[in-house]
Amino acid sequence: MTNRGFKTISILIPIWNEEENIPIFLESLKSTLQFLPYHFQLLFVNDGSTDNSTKFILDFPRFTAKLTVIEFSRNYGKETAIYAGLQEHSGDALVLMDADMQDPPHLIPVFLKHWEGGNPIVMGIRTKRNKDPYFKRITAAIFEWILQKFSNKAPLPGSGDFFLLDDSIVQIVKWPTDKPLWFRGIIAKFGKLQTSVYFERLERAKGNSKWTYWKLFQLAIQVLFYTSHLPLFFILITEASALWFFFHHRNENLFDSKNPLPIVFLVFSFVLAIFVFFYQRMTKKLQIPKYRIEKKFIRS
């Protein structure tokens, strides 16, 4: 199944309750990879699935040099699953992708061609998201616009969790040092080392997205809080508005004992601004994510 002269490519696939899509994804992956002159090792990280995702993976006829499946004891989140998969990588390059067919496997040869041409990071860039719900497209566009304007870790516009990393890059990003644990933002630091491959994002092969609006909102808040000055900016605007209000009403008795709200508001916004300023800086250091592996399957 292997040839000693071939380079080794890891394909990392975090999954959560994707049993409907696994056979479709693996069949597509097989047809794409089987004639390429590389060793391929599949790294599945099962992020606490409650369905038979792992069984579907192991039952599918093996077509790569190595297969590894990690099962978490519970759901820890996609970024932690990616982190765990990076620790298992051993090869010349790594491709990260989802198993829902929204990241088309047929682009892997294109990624590899760019990589062989000397590009250490190849990012899949979504040109269209017409298959996503309208509300999700609007909120994603707003989030991306804010990131581009205010964040110091703004990824390439349209990028997602579909990319190739040279092993030299993997060895750096597998030990992240900054909050939040958000690999798109971590890779954004490499700037000009990135090259782009454009594709139209399709709809999921089966089932619904596991990213609820609440989870997306939580991630957005976390990313914006740690990677941009936007929260502090809004607080300072509030503070400036309060000062402007007090200045223009300086001849009025706003601070009498019968109406303590203005002074309470002023003090609260000032304290909040200081808290955000120092909290962002004191909590930058990332604690290595903790997770428990329930089972681990390796076939080589």
Side-chain angles (χ1 to χ4, degrees), residues 146-155 182 223-224 226-230:
I146 293 174
L147 277 181
Q148 297 299 323
K149 293 293 183 182
F150 296 98
S151 177
N152 55 11
K153 290 184 183 178
W182 186 49
V223 167
L224 290 175
Y226 283 108
T227 68
S228 78
H229 300 300
L230 193 61

PDB file of all heavy atoms in Angstrom, residues 146-155 182 223-224 226-230:
ATOM      1  N   ILE A 146     -16.041  42.946  11.140  1.00  0.00           N
ATOM      2  CA  ILE A 146     -15.520  43.453  12.414  1.00  0.00           C
ATOM      3  C   ILE A 146     -14.095  42.962  12.631  1.00  0.00           C
ATOM      4  O   ILE A 146     -13.214  43.724  13.051  1.00  0.00           O
ATOM      5  CB  ILE A 146     -16.435  43.032  13.583  1.00  0.00           C
ATOM      6  CG1 ILE A 146     -17.801  43.725  13.476  1.00  0.00           C
ATOM      7  CG2 ILE A 146     -15.773  43.363  14.925  1.00  0.00           C
ATOM      8  CD1 ILE A 146     -18.802  43.256  14.499  1.00  0.00           C
ATOM      9  N   LEU A 147     -13.850  41.681  12.324  1.00  0.00           N
ATOM     10  CA  LEU A 147     -12.509  41.138  12.487  1.00  0.00           C
ATOM     11  C   LEU A 147     -11.492  41.888  11.630  1.00  0.00           C
ATOM     12  O   LEU A 147     -10.394  42.230  12.081  1.00  0.00           O
ATOM     13  CB  LEU A 147     -12.486  39.654  12.116  1.00  0.00           C
ATOM     14  CG  LEU A 147     -12.924  38.642  13.164  1.00  0.00           C
ATOM     15  CD1 LEU A 147     -12.806  37.235  12.608  1.00  0.00           C
ATOM     16  CD2 LEU A 147     -12.091  38.775  14.435  1.00  0.00           C
ATOM     17  N   GLN A 148     -11.863  42.122  10.372  1.00  0.00           N
ATOM     18  CA  GLN A 148     -10.940  42.795   9.465  1.00  0.00           C
ATOM     19  C   GLN A 148     -10.629  44.217   9.932  1.00  0.00           C
ATOM     20  O   GLN A 148      -9.526  44.720   9.731  1.00  0.00           O
ATOM     21  CB  GLN A 148     -11.525  42.828   8.044  1.00  0.00           C
ATOM     22  CG  GLN A 148     -11.748  41.471   7.407  1.00  0.00           C
ATOM     23  CD  GLN A 148     -10.470  40.661   7.259  1.00  0.00           C
ATOM     24  OE1 GLN A 148      -9.415  41.199   6.967  1.00  0.00           O
ATOM     25  NE2 GLN A 148     -10.562  39.360   7.487  1.00  0.00           N
ATOM     26  N   LYS A 149     -11.602  44.859  10.583  1.00  0.00           N
ATOM     27  CA  LYS A 149     -11.429  46.247  10.998  1.00  0.00           C
ATOM     28  C   LYS A 149     -10.723  46.393  12.341  1.00  0.00           C
ATOM     29  O   LYS A 149      -9.960  47.341  12.548  1.00  0.00           O
ATOM     30  CB  LYS A 149     -12.797  46.942  11.068  1.00  0.00           C
ATOM     31  CG  LYS A 149     -13.491  47.109   9.717  1.00  0.00           C
ATOM     32  CD  LYS A 149     -12.738  48.085   8.829  1.00  0.00           C
ATOM     33  CE  LYS A 149     -13.473  48.317   7.519  1.00  0.00           C
ATOM     34  NZ  LYS A 149     -12.733  49.238   6.620  1.00  0.00           N
ATOM     35  N   PHE A 150     -10.992  45.469  13.263  1.00  0.00           N
ATOM     36  CA  PHE A 150     -10.557  45.703  14.634  1.00  0.00           C
ATOM     37  C   PHE A 150      -9.610  44.650  15.199  1.00  0.00           C
ATOM     38  O   PHE A 150      -8.992  44.899  16.238  1.00  0.00           O
ATOM     39  CB  PHE A 150     -11.780  45.783  15.564  1.00  0.00           C
ATOM     40  CG  PHE A 150     -12.695  46.935  15.266  1.00  0.00           C
ATOM     41  CD1 PHE A 150     -13.843  46.753  14.501  1.00  0.00           C
ATOM     42  CD2 PHE A 150     -12.399  48.206  15.736  1.00  0.00           C
ATOM     43  CE1 PHE A 150     -14.692  47.815  14.217  1.00  0.00           C
ATOM     44  CE2 PHE A 150     -13.251  49.266  15.460  1.00  0.00           C
ATOM     45  CZ  PHE A 150     -14.390  49.081  14.694  1.00  0.00           C
ATOM     46  N   SER A 151      -9.498  43.479  14.565  1.00  0.00           N
ATOM     47  CA  SER A 151      -8.729  42.400  15.175  1.00  0.00           C
ATOM     48  C   SER A 151      -7.276  42.429  14.736  1.00  0.00           C
ATOM     49  O   SER A 151      -6.952  42.821  13.615  1.00  0.00           O
ATOM     50  CB  SER A 151      -9.342  41.041  14.810  1.00  0.00           C
ATOM     51  OG  SER A 151      -8.558  39.991  15.342  1.00  0.00           O
ATOM     52  N   ASN A 152      -6.405  41.983  15.633  1.00  0.00           N
ATOM     53  CA  ASN A 152      -4.993  41.820  15.276  1.00  0.00           C
ATOM     54  C   ASN A 152      -4.695  40.398  14.826  1.00  0.00           C
ATOM     55  O   ASN A 152      -3.546  40.018  14.647  1.00  0.00           O
ATOM     56  CB  ASN A 152      -4.086  42.191  16.457  1.00  0.00           C
ATOM     57  CG  ASN A 152      -4.419  41.404  17.716  1.00  0.00           C
ATOM     58  OD1 ASN A 152      -5.178  40.441  17.684  1.00  0.00           O
ATOM     59  ND2 ASN A 152      -3.837  41.817  18.833  1.00  0.00           N
ATOM     60  N   LYS A 153      -5.742  39.575  14.683  1.00  0.00           N
ATOM     61  CA  LYS A 153      -5.598  38.203  14.185  1.00  0.00           C
ATOM     62  C   LYS A 153      -6.629  37.933  13.105  1.00  0.00           C
ATOM     63  O   LYS A 153      -7.248  36.880  13.069  1.00  0.00           O
ATOM     64  CB  LYS A 153      -5.795  37.190  15.318  1.00  0.00           C
ATOM     65  CG  LYS A 153      -4.701  37.143  16.366  1.00  0.00           C
ATOM     66  CD  LYS A 153      -5.003  36.023  17.343  1.00  0.00           C
ATOM     67  CE  LYS A 153      -3.980  35.961  18.461  1.00  0.00           C
ATOM     68  NZ  LYS A 153      -4.310  34.890  19.440  1.00  0.00           N
ATOM     69  N   ALA A 154      -6.836  38.858  12.218  1.00  0.00           N
ATOM     70  CA  ALA A 154      -7.874  38.710  11.204  1.00  0.00           C
ATOM     71  C   ALA A 154      -7.440  37.708  10.143  1.00  0.00           C
ATOM     72  O   ALA A 154      -6.438  37.922   9.459  1.00  0.00           O
ATOM     73  CB  ALA A 154      -8.175  40.055  10.558  1.00  0.00           C
ATOM     74  N   PRO A 155      -8.169  36.602   9.963  1.00  0.00           N
ATOM     75  CA  PRO A 155      -7.831  35.637   8.914  1.00  0.00           C
ATOM     76  C   PRO A 155      -8.130  36.217   7.533  1.00  0.00           C
ATOM     77  O   PRO A 155      -8.760  37.275   7.402  1.00  0.00           O
ATOM     78  CB  PRO A 155      -8.754  34.447   9.215  1.00  0.00           C
ATOM     79  CG  PRO A 155      -9.320  34.698  10.576  1.00  0.00           C
ATOM     80  CD  PRO A 155      -9.315  36.181  10.763  1.00  0.00           C
ATOM     81  N   TRP A 182      -8.004  29.404  18.768  1.00  0.00           N
ATOM     82  CA  TRP A 182      -8.730  29.605  17.512  1.00  0.00           C
ATOM     83  C   TRP A 182      -7.702  29.550  16.396  1.00  0.00           C
ATOM     84  O   TRP A 182      -6.967  30.507  16.161  1.00  0.00           O
ATOM     85  CB  TRP A 182      -9.451  30.959  17.536  1.00  0.00           C
ATOM     86  CG  TRP A 182     -10.331  31.210  16.368  1.00  0.00           C
ATOM     87  CD1 TRP A 182     -11.280  30.369  15.850  1.00  0.00           C
ATOM     88  CD2 TRP A 182     -10.363  32.394  15.568  1.00  0.00           C
ATOM     89  NE1 TRP A 182     -11.901  30.959  14.781  1.00  0.00           N
ATOM     90  CE2 TRP A 182     -11.359  32.204  14.584  1.00  0.00           C
ATOM     91  CE3 TRP A 182      -9.673  33.601  15.596  1.00  0.00           C
ATOM     92  CZ2 TRP A 182     -11.664  33.167  13.634  1.00  0.00           C
ATOM     93  CZ3 TRP A 182      -9.975  34.566  14.651  1.00  0.00           C
ATOM     94  CH2 TRP A 182     -10.961  34.354  13.693  1.00  0.00           C
ATOM     95  N   VAL A 223     -13.616  35.452  20.505  1.00  0.00           N
ATOM     96  CA  VAL A 223     -12.606  35.883  19.549  1.00  0.00           C
ATOM     97  C   VAL A 223     -12.459  37.403  19.568  1.00  0.00           C
ATOM     98  O   VAL A 223     -11.350  37.943  19.614  1.00  0.00           O
ATOM     99  CB  VAL A 223     -12.957  35.386  18.126  1.00  0.00           C
ATOM    100  CG1 VAL A 223     -12.100  36.074  17.080  1.00  0.00           C
ATOM    101  CG2 VAL A 223     -12.769  33.881  18.046  1.00  0.00           C
ATOM    102  N   LEU A 224     -13.588  38.108  19.553  1.00  0.00           N
ATOM    103  CA  LEU A 224     -13.537  39.572  19.544  1.00  0.00           C
ATOM    104  C   LEU A 224     -12.941  40.118  20.836  1.00  0.00           C
ATOM    105  O   LEU A 224     -12.215  41.112  20.833  1.00  0.00           O
ATOM    106  CB  LEU A 224     -14.936  40.141  19.314  1.00  0.00           C
ATOM    107  CG  LEU A 224     -15.521  39.944  17.912  1.00  0.00           C
ATOM    108  CD1 LEU A 224     -16.957  40.437  17.863  1.00  0.00           C
ATOM    109  CD2 LEU A 224     -14.677  40.671  16.875  1.00  0.00           C
ATOM    110  N   TYR A 226     -10.704  38.731  22.855  1.00  0.00           N
ATOM    111  CA  TYR A 226      -9.279  38.493  23.033  1.00  0.00           C
ATOM    112  C   TYR A 226      -8.417  38.995  21.882  1.00  0.00           C
ATOM    113  O   TYR A 226      -7.221  39.191  22.054  1.00  0.00           O
ATOM    114  CB  TYR A 226      -9.008  36.997  23.237  1.00  0.00           C
ATOM    115  CG  TYR A 226      -9.348  36.514  24.614  1.00  0.00           C
ATOM    116  CD1 TYR A 226     -10.448  35.707  24.830  1.00  0.00           C
ATOM    117  CD2 TYR A 226      -8.568  36.869  25.707  1.00  0.00           C
ATOM    118  CE1 TYR A 226     -10.774  35.263  26.107  1.00  0.00           C
ATOM    119  CE2 TYR A 226      -8.882  36.440  26.976  1.00  0.00           C
ATOM    120  CZ  TYR A 226      -9.977  35.628  27.169  1.00  0.00           C
ATOM    121  OH  TYR A 226     -10.300  35.196  28.420  1.00  0.00           O
ATOM    122  N   THR A 227      -8.990  39.167  20.702  1.00  0.00           N
ATOM    123  CA  THR A 227      -8.152  39.492  19.545  1.00  0.00           C
ATOM    124  C   THR A 227      -8.367  40.904  19.027  1.00  0.00           C
ATOM    125  O   THR A 227      -7.747  41.292  18.046  1.00  0.00           O
ATOM    126  CB  THR A 227      -8.402  38.505  18.388  1.00  0.00           C
ATOM    127  OG1 THR A 227      -9.727  38.706  17.863  1.00  0.00           O
ATOM    128  CG2 THR A 227      -8.259  37.074  18.850  1.00  0.00           C
ATOM    129  N   SER A 228      -9.255  41.667  19.642  1.00  0.00           N
ATOM    130  CA  SER A 228      -9.484  43.019  19.153  1.00  0.00           C
ATOM    131  C   SER A 228      -9.655  43.976  20.325  1.00  0.00           C
ATOM    132  O   SER A 228      -9.813  43.568  21.473  1.00  0.00           O
ATOM    133  CB  SER A 228     -10.739  43.064  18.262  1.00  0.00           C
ATOM    134  OG  SER A 228     -11.915  43.063  19.041  1.00  0.00           O
ATOM    135  N   HIS A 229      -9.642  45.244  19.980  1.00  0.00           N
ATOM    136  CA  HIS A 229      -9.860  46.282  20.992  1.00  0.00           C
ATOM    137  C   HIS A 229     -11.313  46.780  20.948  1.00  0.00           C
ATOM    138  O   HIS A 229     -11.620  47.817  21.527  1.00  0.00           O
ATOM    139  CB  HIS A 229      -8.913  47.459  20.736  1.00  0.00           C
ATOM    140  CG  HIS A 229      -7.465  47.069  20.799  1.00  0.00           C
ATOM    141  ND1 HIS A 229      -6.886  46.541  21.918  1.00  0.00           N
ATOM    142  CD2 HIS A 229      -6.481  47.123  19.864  1.00  0.00           C
ATOM    143  CE1 HIS A 229      -5.606  46.300  21.693  1.00  0.00           C
ATOM    144  NE2 HIS A 229      -5.339  46.636  20.449  1.00  0.00           N
ATOM    145  N   LEU A 230     -12.189  46.046  20.268  1.00  0.00           N
ATOM    146  CA  LEU A 230     -13.567  46.497  20.110  1.00  0.00           C
ATOM    147  C   LEU A 230     -14.308  46.636  21.442  1.00  0.00           C
ATOM    148  O   LEU A 230     -14.972  47.654  21.668  1.00  0.00           O
ATOM    149  CB  LEU A 230     -14.326  45.544  19.175  1.00  0.00           C
ATOM    150  CG  LEU A 230     -15.678  46.029  18.672  1.00  0.00           C
ATOM    151  CD1 LEU A 230     -15.520  47.317  17.865  1.00  0.00           C
ATOM    152  CD2 LEU A 230     -16.344  44.960  17.808  1.00  0.00           C
TER     153      LEU A 230
END
